[in-house]
Amino acid sequence: MAQEYVIKSVKKGREWGNDFGKFQSYALALDGVGEPVQLNKKVPVKNEPKEGDTLYGILEEKIHEGRIYYKFKVEKKPDSGYSGKGSYQPRDDEAIRAQFALKLAVQAYGPNQSDDQDIYFADIETYAKHFYAMVDRVKGSDKTIDEIKGAFGEGITDLNNVPY
């Protein structure tokens, strides 16, 4: 089972390669582990391991020439998003929805007609909030497209009175 380990000491080993690329090998002494631990990192190494660092992963027991050692396999920490291969940012649907609402607001409001940039941005923000809120209303609507089109009539000037 994966857990955190604190590095007590590091010895840089040899660089080696295989079909997956070149790797840098390290011999680590980890707090609470009596045997040496091998850690391999893809070259170029972005973050060299150092004393005091915390690693999260699994120790695999290996035997070489009759001697037991461990190979460290980095695992994704449940609360960090770190996978050992770089950082992963999960898709943020709410941010995407907000960006789309802002784009629609700018298109609907049109170019800045005011000398006061703060008023223009405040109006765009108000429009964007309404467009953002419309998504759930439209998604949950059981009205047909003709009913929605008919409700618009000549157009809506007050976004608080959208009929769905």
Side-chain angles (χ1 to χ4, degrees):
M1 186 165 135
Q3 68 181 59
E4 286 188 341
Y5 296 91
V6 177
I7 299 175
K8 292 193 311 187
S9 66
V10 178
K11 181 180 176 190
K12 192 171 186 176
R14 65 181 178 87
E15 194 173 294
W16 58 278
N18 62 18
D19 292 341
F20 298 105
K22 289 188 175 191
F23 296 87
Q24 177 64 54
S25 183
Y26 299 90
L28 309 175
L30 299 179
D31 202 20
V33 180
E35 300 297 326
V37 176
Q38 179 187 19
L39 173 67
N40 295 310
K41 293 190 123 201
K42 187 132 175 112
V43 173
V45 176
K46 294 177 184 166
N47 295 316
E48 296 259 348
K50 59 187 178 301
E51 186 178 330
D53 283 356
T54 301
L55 301 175
Y56 185 81
I58 297 172
L59 295 178
E60 290 182 349
E61 189 174 297
K62 302 285 185 175
I63 299 175
H64 180 70
E65 296 177 357
R67 183 158 184 207
I68 295 174
Y69 73 98
Y70 293 98
K71 188 172 183 177
F72 192 84
K73 294 281 188 174
V74 175
E75 291 283 320
K76 178 182 175 184
K77 193 171 180 181
D79 61 342
S80 75
Y82 178 70
S83 67
K85 297 180 181 173
S87 59
Y88 167 73
Q89 293 286 333
R91 186 173 134 162
D92 186 351
D93 288 336
E94 295 300 309
I96 294 168
R97 185 171 153 188
Q99 291 168 13
F100 184 71
L102 279 167
K103 180 180 177 182
L104 289 176
V106 169
Q107 289 174 345
Y109 194 79
N112 186 2
Q113 301 295 326
S114 170
D115 290 335
D116 189 345
Q117 198 75 3
D118 292 335
I119 292 173
Y120 177 72
F121 287 134
D123 289 345
I124 293 295
E125 186 176 336
T126 301
Y127 271 61
K129 288 177 181 176
H130 288 292
F131 282 121
Y132 184 90
M134 278 186 214
V135 173
D136 285 330
R137 292 195 303 263
V138 171
K139 257 179 29 181
S141 176
D142 58 354
K143 294 184 179 186
T144 67
I145 194 71
D146 290 331
E147 291 173 318
I148 293 170
K149 282 181 182 175
F152 274 98
E154 292 297 314
I156 297 174
T157 56
D158 182 359
L159 292 175
N160 290 315
N161 293 321
V162 175
Y164 48 86

